[in-house]
Amino acid sequence: VAGGRPVARTTIGGFDGQGGALAAGRVGEGRVAGPSRMDGYFRNEAASAEALDGAWLKTGDLGFVHDGALYLVQPLLSGTDLG
């Protein structure tokens, strides 16, 4: 599913299981960073810590970036090995 190109001042990327950025076209965890990213879940620090990694919001989906657009492949299931 095409998620599209990011809006101004927003960055998208795919990441491996150790949080390293992947090259374009490689499937990994989709993430989004920018000023419109949430600061966290209301009164739920544990969920916020799970969803956020520094400036990045983990989408919870497997995806890849191609020509500057994010494509989502499937939900990231618990136990999925991202290498």
Side-chain angles (χ1 to χ4, degrees):
V1 174
R5 296 182 187 279
V7 296
R9 301 184 313 148
T10 300
T11 305
I12 56 175
F15 289 78
D16 64 22
Q18 290 74 47
L22 295 172
R26 299 276 317 270
V27 174
E29 179 180 40
R31 296 189 184 185
V32 179
S36 63
R37 188 212 74 183
M38 70 171 188
D39 290 330
Y41 289 103
F42 183 67
R43 296 185 182 165
N44 194 337
E45 291 182 29
S48 297
E50 182 72 24
L52 301 172
D53 183 8
W56 294 98
L57 168 68
K58 302 173 185 178
T59 66
D61 297 296
L62 289 176
F64 62 94
V65 176
H66 177 71
D67 283 340
L70 178 63
Y71 293 83
L72 303 175
V73 178
Q74 69 181 42
L76 178 60
L77 305 174
S78 100
T80 301
D81 182 10
L82 295 176

